[in-house]
Amino acid sequence: MIRVLVADNQPIVGYGIRMLFDSSSDIKIVKTVATQNQVIEYLKKGSVDVVLMSLDLADINGISVLRNIKKDFNNIRPLKFT
């Protein structure tokens, strides 16, 4: 099973993505967060395979978060959407 962390500052987007994958047995949305700090904190303690993230988070540009993920969590695959 692929474990996905969704990072987006719009709650409706996170809800929609969760609903989209609810019926999937291969993909599980483990958490939805809105800020860089929430992403990094969850990656430190959670078990995630993929981060599905917006380019615009509540506190920082998604490109900066992407760089931090690639630097500190090289086993996690980030996917950006806009």
Side-chain angles (χ1 to χ4, degrees), residues 16-76:
I17 291 172
R18 183 177 296 275
M19 294 299 295
L20 181 66
F21 291 108
D22 258 356
S23 62
S24 173
S25 61
D26 297 327
I27 298 173
K28 179 177 179 169
I29 306 298
V30 294
K31 180 98 172 143
T32 302
V33 297
T35 68
Q36 174 186 358
N37 289 339
Q38 291 171 332
V39 170
I40 300 303
E41 287 304 312
Y42 193 82
L43 293 180
K44 286 179 182 176
K45 63 183 176 184
S47 182
V48 175
D49 300 307
V50 174
V51 177
L52 181 60
M53 59 184 288
S54 171
L55 287 179
D56 292 318
L57 295 178
D59 60 346
I60 196 165
N61 182 298
I63 299 296
S64 298
V65 179
L66 175 66
R67 287 184 184 127
N68 288 339
I69 292 171
K70 294 301 281 179
K71 182 180 96 179
D72 298 331
F73 306 96
N74 61 3
N75 61 326
I76 297 172

Side-chain angles (χ1 to χ4, degrees), residues 3-17:
R3 298 164 308 232
V4 179
L5 173 66
V6 176
D8 190 281
N9 63 344
Q10 301 295 323
I12 191 71
V13 173
Y15 178 77
I17 291 172

